[in-house]
Amino acid sequence: MQQFEISDLITAVEPHSGRRLPVRRAEVVRRLLESGDERGSRIVAELPADREGVLDPDAVDRLLISVHTELQRLSEELRIGERLVHVLGPIFTAIRSAGAQPGPYRLVDVGCGLGYLVRWLASTCALGADVELVGVDLDAALVGEAERLARAEGLGCRFVHGNAFDLPQAATVYVSTGVLHHFRGPDLGEFFRVQAASPAQAFCHFDIAATRLAPIGAWVFHRARMRHPLGRHDGVVSARRAHSDETLLRAATAPGIRPLLYEPRGSANPFCTTLRPVIGVRPHLEAPLRLALGRAARRLVGPEHLAEAIG
């Protein structure tokens, strides 16, 4: 039975324009009940709505900003920025050394939320001064808060409300954290195909490793660290919806892209919701990427060696 994250259901936008659409509370409650999620339905039933049953968009925005603020604190505690740079740094090193594309370069964070990754990269200059940092999200409220935080912190990055794949300037590298499990069925393959068909040189998408104990670890962690029931609910559901290694590599296989998984299931920590990336690079970049990773390149696995790695 399909499971839903509440945050996916209580907002709706047109995919290309980002225009906000009304959401009826009763419809969200119905979908959650039909999926067997009584707890989620009770959380939504308590959200404010107008006389016609349409969820209050301002209240929803405040709630999502609050939940994403808590997620940012978790990212800080788990040192997510450092973990991402461990892979992103070598990717940009490979692009520079291969002469595949002259700088400056552009990193686009797909579904950036409050822009924690982009703002952390801007504050540390971890990828180099020749990398422009852009965060994109379909949620206007989250983008607005990301812009406010960046201004308050005096950071040289920017945020865009809209579709990350419709920007007037192409990305050099696409990245995301915690986005892949939101795509189901054919939509997951299409997500990767759009990037493969773009001028981008690589992508690097971090998501939860689908280990057997990941939902238990997510329940313990989010119960301890998240204040709002919605954050606790969605944190566990996201772990349950995580894609298998096989699914990710199969979906990421597209013309002109070499798909690679970093730290496949056999080497992931089964006791928590470990984030690890599926990477795609233009074929001529694989060798310089492995060289830039050094000994860590042993953690890279392609489709042809996946069964051995997780066996």
Side-chain angles (χ1 to χ4, degrees):
M1 186 175 294
Q2 186 175 5
Q3 293 184 304
F4 298 102
E5 292 176 55
I6 295 172
S7 57
D8 286 346
L9 301 180
I10 60 176
T11 62
V13 298
E14 290 184 341
H16 291 285
S17 70
R19 184 174 69 86
R20 187 76 168 262
L21 301 173
V23 176
R24 294 191 175 276
R25 183 173 60 189
E27 175 63 17
V28 178
V29 169
R30 181 191 65 79
R31 294 184 68 183
L32 290 167
L33 285 174
E34 288 181 350
S35 70
D37 189 352
E38 293 186 8
R39 178 170 174 265
S41 71
R42 291 196 298 270
I43 293 172
V44 173
E46 295 178 357
L47 298 180
D50 65 16
R51 292 180 180 179
E52 296 180 352
V54 175
L55 287 171
D56 181 344
D58 293 332
V60 168
D61 288 345
R62 289 193 296 271
L63 173 57
L64 292 181
I65 288 173
S66 175
V67 170
H68 276 260
T69 299
E70 290 191 325
L71 289 173
Q72 175 176 309
R73 286 197 291 268
L74 294 181
S75 296
E76 291 169 346
E77 292 175 3
L78 295 174
R79 304 176 70 88
I80 295 299
E82 290 93 330
R83 294 176 64 185
L84 269 61
V85 168
H86 175 70
V87 179
L88 287 173
I91 288 176
F92 276 100
T93 297
I95 292 171
R96 293 185 186 101
S97 65
Q101 178 178 325
Y105 307 101
R106 183 173 296 107
L107 178 139
V108 172
D109 185 6
V110 183
C112 66
L114 294 184
Y116 169 72
L117 171 61
V118 168
R119 290 187 289 109
W120 187 90
L121 291 171
S123 67
T124 60
C125 200
L127 296 179
D130 60 347
V131 178
E132 179 189 3
L133 303 168
V134 183
V136 186
D137 203 291
L138 286 169
D139 191 304
L142 294 179
V143 168
E145 182 65 6
E147 290 176 333
R148 186 191 69 80
L149 291 169
R151 288 195 302 269
E153 296 162 356
L155 300 175
C157 54
R158 64 187 180 95
F159 296 93
V160 178
H161 171 226
N163 189 316
F165 306 125
D166 287 342
L167 299 179
Q169 295 175 308
T172 308
V173 177
Y174 287 106
V175 66
S176 71
T177 55
V179 168
L180 292 180
H181 66 270
H182 292 276
F183 292 94
R184 316 308 297 178
D187 290 341
L188 181 63
E190 181 62 21
F191 176 77
F192 289 112
R193 282 191 291 273
V194 169
Q195 296 168 74
S198 78
Q201 294 296 305
F203 57 72
C204 182
H205 298 291
F206 285 75
D207 210 351
I208 302 164
T211 62
R212 288 181 300 172
L213 297 181
I216 298 174
W219 184 88
V220 172
F221 198 70
H222 286 82
R223 184 75 182 175
R225 304 301 295 146
M226 301 293 282
R227 297 184 183 92
H228 197 279
L230 184 149
R232 295 176 178 178
H233 173 278
D234 283 7
V236 176
V237 173
S238 64
R240 292 174 177 162
R241 298 177 75 200
H243 295 295
S244 70
D245 295 349
E246 297 88 344
T247 296
L248 287 175
L249 278 179
R250 184 167 57 250
T253 301
I257 284 290
R258 167 63 167 161
L260 299 162
L261 195 68
Y262 191 77
E263 292 187 332
R265 188 167 66 242
S267 60
N269 183 348
F271 295 101
C272 63
T273 52
T274 305
L275 284 176
R276 50 89 178 96
V278 58
I279 299 168
V281 295
R282 300 300 176 187
H284 67 276
L285 290 175
E286 181 178 0
L289 171 60
R290 290 183 177 276
L291 181 63
L293 281 168
R295 296 184 63 183
R298 294 176 295 179
R299 303 179 188 178
L300 281 178
V301 175
E304 67 279 7
H305 298 304
L306 182 60
E308 177 182 348
I310 66 176

